[in-house]
């Protein structure tokens, strides 16, 4: 009997009241929410609960809050109801604003998903549930709402934002105050063995030089120069770019890129012979520093064999790691050597030097013949020399990397390294090894006879340095490194008057006029060279264009290399079918999508 009464009571409590159009006479319209009718006052816009859907309560609200409207006719309340609906669902209404905010939120989430190189389904499967729970717990469940974050929605929004960014970039290129721009291209394979072409552009935008992502396209069949050129040319045609506006292109040294006839270089120069197609300076630097003579090469090969002996077997790696912990070494693992990575050699050798005590102990325990290498003073001395010279090469390589590196900066780095090589050779001839700190410390710690050391490995080190100098001069001829004549670009007010010594009358006249202007000198002190020469395009066009030709040019393909790392992060083994072009644009572009504009252009679909 008690159970029956409870059921009757529960059914009564769960019954929901229904709105009637007749309630408009009391100044209320229906605003459904969570599957139940809720009356909303057309005057003060207050929303009451479902329990208030009764004539007595609605009439009481009208008498108490709006007594002056009790005698109004039905037509008045109908006009107010129409006005309220316009407020809710009009283009500037409350409901429209909520829908607009929801669309912008969807765009923002999609942008962050692509920017962080995440799978599109993470928005619906992780971000949306977490965001809903956080808002519900902190602000209350009535404040939480669900926005569209399905896989298809994220894909569509990513495509919209990528198109918007590309539109902004191409517009900036076309409207640039300096009509020329430079490009860099590189091609590589992803985890699905698909060939991908990446391109970046550098151009003048407002008062600065801007580097921006340009394209990411799949090479569906072969990767010949003609295939690469056709993709780039098609991109130019589609986006209204002109080859006559290109001043320089930076590529790697592959035949498909640098070939004079059927390579990208030859095909580009067939369209516009004025375009300079240059081999990436970092690639040239790496090629020039690659060779090792005789015993030094054998030492490096021994290092690789030792590393592979430990790293190739999991049990060896675990035992070595625990041994390093017991000996309180700073590191517990060795590094694999990868020939295509510019800094790999130096890092591998440096790690072996730092863990040489643990390595010797481990190799002794394993009865490996390599254990004797760590008691061989000459072998260790050569290893220390390699660690020092590789460290110097890596340091210069890092200086060549990075964004906004100009041709002048890169050539300064190479010229300085060549100068240091000549200095080191002269010091070695005098028996001085202080320029190699690891080797110098090893000699001092082991009380090793310096004279004996120099007799044994001095010639090897000297031959290596001379070989480096010869190789570098092969990849960087003197004609490429005449940076002294370009100092006027970086220091226009501190170089001699003869810095501009050609027969160009306009350039010489602008040079004299500019240097006589003290206000410009003060202005230059508060600006970088890029901004200064851009600001002088109107007053000194000849000089400015000559300076910007070098400042806008790419010296490396570093941005492409960095871009490939991003693409590999996106296209994992579980996402091999992903077309990364638009996701890559959002992840690699410095230009941000205009989310409010994109959201406002979408047609809103309010509930009816």
């Amino acid at each position: 009997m008690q159970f029956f009464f409870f059921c009757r009571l529960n059914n009564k409590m769960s019954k929901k009241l229904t709105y009637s159009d007749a309630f408009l006479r009391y100044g209320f319209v229906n605003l459904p929410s969570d599957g139940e009718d809720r009356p909303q006052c057309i005057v003060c816009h207050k929303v009451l609960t479902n329990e208030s859907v009764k004539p007595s309560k609605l009439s009481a609200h009208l008498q108490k809050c709006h007594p002056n409207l009790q005698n109004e006719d039905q037509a008045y309340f109908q006009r107010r109801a129409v006005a309220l609906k316009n407020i809710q669902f009009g283009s500037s209404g409350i409901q429209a604003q909520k829908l607009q905010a929801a669309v912008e939120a969807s765009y923002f989430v999609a942008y962050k998903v692509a920017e962080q190189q995440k799978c599109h389904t993470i928005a619906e499967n992780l971000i949306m549930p977490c965001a809903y729970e956080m808002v519900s717990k902190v602000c209350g469940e009535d404040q939480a709402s669900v926005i569209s974050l399905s896989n298809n929605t994220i894909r569509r929004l990513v495509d919209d934002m990528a198109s918007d960014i590309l539109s902004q970039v191409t517009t900036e290129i076309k409207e640039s105050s300096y009509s020329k721009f430079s490009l860099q291209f590189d091609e590589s394979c992803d985890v699905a063995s698909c060939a991908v072409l990446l391109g970046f552009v550098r151009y003048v935008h407002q008062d600065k030089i801007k580097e921006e992502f340009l394209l990411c396209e799949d090479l569906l069949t072969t990767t010949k120069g003609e295939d690469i050129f056709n993709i780039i040319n098609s991109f130019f045609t589609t986006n209204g770019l002109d080859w006559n506006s290109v001043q320089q292109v930076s590529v790697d040294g592959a035949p498909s890129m640098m070939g004079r006839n059927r390579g990208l270089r030859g095909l580009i120069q067939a369209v516009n012979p004025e375009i300079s197609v240059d081999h990436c300076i970092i690639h040239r630097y790496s090629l020039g520093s690659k060779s090792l003579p005789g015993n030094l090469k054998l030492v490096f090969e021994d290092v690789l064999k030792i590393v592979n002996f430990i790293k190739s077997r999991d049990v060896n790696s675990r035992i070595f790691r625990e041994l390093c912990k017991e000996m309180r070494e700073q590191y517990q693992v060795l590094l694999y050597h990868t020939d295509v990575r510019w800094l790999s050699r130096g890092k591998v050798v440096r790690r072996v030097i730092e863990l040489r005590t643990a390595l010797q102990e481990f190799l002794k325990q394993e009865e490996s013949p390599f254990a004797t290498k760590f008691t061989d003073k000459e072998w260790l001395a050569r290893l220390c020399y390699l660690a020092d010279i590789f460290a110097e090469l890596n340091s210069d390589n890092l200086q060549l990397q990075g964004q906004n590196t100009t041709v002048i900066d890169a050539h300064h780095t190479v010229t300085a390294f060549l100068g240091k090589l000549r200095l080191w050779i002269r010091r070695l001839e005098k028996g001085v090894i202080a320029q190699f700190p690891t080797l110098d410390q090893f000699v001092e710690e082991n009380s090793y006879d310096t004279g004996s050391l120099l007799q044994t490995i001095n010639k090897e080190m000297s031959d290596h340095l001379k070989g480096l100098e010869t190789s570098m001069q092969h990849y960087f001829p003197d004609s490429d490194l005449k940076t002294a004549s370009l100092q006027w670009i970086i220091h226009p007010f501190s170089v001699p008057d003869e810095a501009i010594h050609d027969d160009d009358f306009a350039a010489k006249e602008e040079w004299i006029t500019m240097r006589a202007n003290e206000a410009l000198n003060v202005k230059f002190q508060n600006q970088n060279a890029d901004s200064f020469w851009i600001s002088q395009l109107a007053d000194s066009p000849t000089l400015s264009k000559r300076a910007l030709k070098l400042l806008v040019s790419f010296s490396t393909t570093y941005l492409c290399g960095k871009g490939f790392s991003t693409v590999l992060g996106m296209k994992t083994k579980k996402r091999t079918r992903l077309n990364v072009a638009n996701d890559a644009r959002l992840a690699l572009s410095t230009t941000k999508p205009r989310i409010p504009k994109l959201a406002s252009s979408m047609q809103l679909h309010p509930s009816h």
Side-chain angles (χ1 to χ4, degrees):
M1 191 69 173
Q2 292 177 349
F3 176 76
F4 177 77
F5 174 77
F6 174 78
C7 291
R8 290 283 303 273
L9 181 61
N10 188 49
N11 290 336
K12 184 177 180 181
M13 291 178 62
S14 63
K15 185 178 180 181
K16 296 178 180 178
L17 301 178
T18 304
Y19 175 85
S20 172
D21 292 337
F23 294 158
L24 181 60
R25 75 176 77 173
Y26 305 115
F28 282 88
V29 294
N30 186 29
L31 187 67
S33 178
D34 297 332
E36 62 182 14
D37 293 347
R38 293 186 180 181
Q40 181 180 22
C41 179
I42 61 176
V43 181
C44 63
H45 302 166
K46 184 176 181 179
V47 180
L48 306 183
T49 62
N50 180 257
E51 289 77 9
S52 299
V53 186
K54 297 178 180 178
S56 58
K57 293 188 176 182
L58 301 181
S59 177
H61 175 85
L62 181 64
Q63 294 175 7
K64 180 179 179 181
C65 301
H66 315 293
N68 58 319
L69 302 179
Q70 293 184 72
N71 298 323
E72 294 290 347
D73 57 10
Q74 185 79 1
Y76 171 81
F77 289 114
Q78 288 177 346
R79 291 195 300 271
R80 295 295 296 261
V82 171
L84 176 60
K85 186 175 182 180
N86 291 335
I87 293 175
Q88 291 176 336
F89 300 110
S91 59
S92 60
I94 297 174
Q95 190 68 14
Q97 292 175 7
K98 290 182 178 180
L99 292 171
Q100 178 83 3
V103 173
E104 290 188 19
S106 296
Y107 269 109
F108 179 79
V109 173
Y111 177 67
K112 287 300 178 181
V113 167
E115 185 185 43
Q116 298 301 317
Q117 308 154 40
K118 300 301 181 183
C119 181
H120 293 173
T121 55
I122 196 175
E124 186 176 27
N125 297 337
L126 179 63
I127 297 176
M128 186 68 247
C130 292
Y132 187 88
E133 287 299 320
M134 286 188 289
V135 174
S136 298
K137 298 297 183 184
V138 176
C139 303
E141 190 170 352
D142 59 327
Q143 298 297 318
S145 60
V146 178
I147 61 175
S148 179
L149 293 178
S150 67
N151 181 46
N152 291 339
T153 298
I154 297 297
R155 174 77 274 168
R156 186 180 70 254
L157 300 183
V158 166
D159 293 346
D160 289 347
M161 289 185 285
S163 297
D164 179 65
I165 291 175
L166 177 59
S167 174
Q168 292 184 67
V169 171
T170 53
T171 300
E172 290 173 358
I173 292 174
K174 296 172 187 176
E175 297 178 352
S176 172
S177 56
Y178 177 67
S179 60
K180 301 290 185 177
F181 59 90
S182 296
L183 303 165
Q184 65 171 263
F185 296 106
D186 200 0
E187 171 268 324
S188 185
C189 288
D190 56 27
V191 294
S193 299
C194 297
V196 179
L197 176 69
L198 287 186
F200 285 79
V201 61
R202 179 186 279 177
Y203 56 96
V204 172
H205 174 56
Q206 296 177 350
D207 62 343
K208 64 180 181 180
I209 293 176
K210 184 177 180 180
E211 293 178 341
E212 189 53 86
F213 176 82
L214 187 64
L215 64 86
C216 173
E217 298 290 344
D218 290 333
L219 294 163
L220 301 178
T221 54
T222 58
T223 58
K224 299 177 182 178
E226 185 178 2
D227 301 316
I228 297 172
F229 175 78
N230 288 338
I231 286 178
I232 300 171
N233 192 49
S234 175
F235 179 88
F236 269 46
T237 303
T238 302
N239 293 282
L241 299 179
D242 188 0
W243 282 110
N244 291 324
S245 298
V246 180
Q247 67 172 24
Q248 183 262 354
V249 179
S250 182
V251 296
D252 65 13
S256 62
M257 292 290 189
M258 288 297 291
R260 293 179 179 271
N261 297 318
R262 292 188 296 176
L264 180 63
R265 172 187 178 185
L267 295 171
I268 288 177
Q269 292 181 338
V271 176
N272 182 2
E274 300 296 324
I275 298 176
S276 172
V277 181
D278 302 322
H279 187 183
C280 168
I281 287 181
I282 297 180
H283 282 241
R284 285 191 277 165
Y285 187 85
S286 298
L287 291 171
S289 59
K290 197 170 186 178
S291 63
L292 287 173
N295 288 331
L296 293 177
K297 183 178 181 180
L298 292 176
V299 170
F300 184 65
E301 289 176 350
D302 288 340
V303 168
L304 299 186
K305 291 176 182 177
I306 292 170
V307 171
N308 292 338
F309 173 73
I310 295 175
K311 297 281 288 182
S312 61
R313 295 184 61 194
D314 293 340
V315 63
N316 285 348
S317 297
R318 293 194 297 268
I319 294 173
F320 182 72
R321 182 171 60 248
E322 294 304 315
L323 178 62
C324 290
K325 290 180 180 179
E326 290 179 8
M327 300 180 70
R328 297 184 177 180
E329 296 284 1
Q330 183 179 0
Y331 304 103
Q332 286 83 44
V333 294
L334 297 171
L335 303 175
Y336 267 128
H337 172 249
T338 307
D339 199 41
V340 296
R341 295 190 180 275
W342 298 322
L343 309 180
S344 180
R345 289 192 308 175
K347 291 184 176 182
V348 170
V349 172
R350 175 59 60 184
R351 183 61 58 87
V352 169
I353 285 285
E354 291 169 340
L355 296 178
R356 63 181 181 272
T357 305
L359 280 168
Q360 181 181 1
E361 182 64 26
F362 176 82
L363 295 172
K364 274 185 181 180
Q365 295 176 7
E366 296 293 322
E367 298 181 355
S368 170
F370 291 115
T372 59
K373 298 295 183 181
F374 292 92
T375 58
D376 185 340
K377 300 295 184 181
E378 292 181 7
W379 189 89
L380 286 173
R382 294 186 181 98
L383 182 64
C384 290
Y385 165 74
L386 288 179
D388 286 326
I389 195 65
F390 287 164
E392 184 64 33
L393 290 169
N394 283 1
S395 176
D396 288 349
N397 197 305
L398 288 172
Q399 290 185 40
L400 294 172
Q401 297 180 35
Q403 297 178 334
N404 302 312
T405 301
T406 66
V407 174
I408 300 173
D409 297 332
H411 285 177
H412 282 165
T413 301
V414 176
T415 303
F417 180 69
L418 286 169
K420 287 187 284 187
L421 282 177
R422 300 183 186 106
L423 174 63
W424 295 340
I425 293 171
R426 292 196 300 269
R427 288 171 69 88
L428 277 179
E429 291 172 351
K430 298 177 182 179
V432 180
I433 60 172
Q435 64 270 22
F436 305 122
T438 307
L439 177 60
D440 191 37
Q441 183 180 1
F442 172 78
V443 171
E444 183 178 349
E445 289 177 353
N446 291 273
S447 301
Y448 196 57
D449 180 47
T450 305
S452 175
L453 169 67
L454 292 178
Q455 289 179 4
T456 306
I457 68 168
N458 183 288
K459 187 176 185 306
E460 296 175 11
M461 292 190 295
S462 182
D463 288 346
H464 179 228
L465 295 179
K466 290 177 181 177
L468 269 179
E469 182 183 8
T470 302
S471 182
M472 286 292 185
Q473 287 177 336
H474 169 72
Y475 285 101
F476 298 96
D478 291 339
S479 58
D480 283 0
L481 298 176
K482 291 182 179 179
T483 56
S485 61
L486 303 176
Q487 291 300 308
W488 64 272
I489 299 175
I490 309 299
H491 308 289
F493 293 95
S494 57
V495 296
D497 289 337
E498 296 76 19
I500 301 295
H501 51 75
D502 54 25
D503 297 329
D504 190 334
F505 175 77
K508 195 70 175 178
E509 190 176 55
E510 290 174 5
W511 176 250
I512 294 173
T513 303
M514 184 184 71
R515 285 170 61 86
N517 192 331
E518 288 297 328
L520 282 181
N521 192 353
V522 174
K523 180 180 179 180
F524 177 76
Q525 304 305 320
N526 300 320
Q527 287 183 313
N528 56 33
D530 300 353
S531 300
F532 175 77
W533 288 113
I534 293 171
S535 69
Q536 294 305 302
L537 275 170
D539 298 331
S540 305
T542 305
L543 280 179
S544 296
K545 290 178 181 178
R546 187 180 297 183
L548 289 173
K549 184 176 182 180
L550 284 172
L551 295 174
V552 172
S553 294
F554 279 115
S555 60
T556 71
T557 56
Y558 165 79
L559 293 176
C560 288
K562 182 181 177 183
F564 282 125
S565 297
T566 300
V567 170
L568 289 176
M570 293 179 179
K571 203 166 185 179
T572 62
K573 292 181 179 180
K574 294 183 178 181
R575 305 175 74 194
T576 56
R577 297 174 60 189
L578 174 68
N579 184 348
V580 299
N582 290 334
D583 290 73
R585 188 173 300 282
L586 266 61
L588 296 173
S589 291
T590 57
T591 302
K592 303 299 182 184
R594 297 168 292 189
I595 291 179
K597 179 181 178 181
L598 291 171
S600 63
S601 65
M602 293 187 67
Q603 183 176 358
L604 304 180
H605 300 283
S607 300
H608 299 287

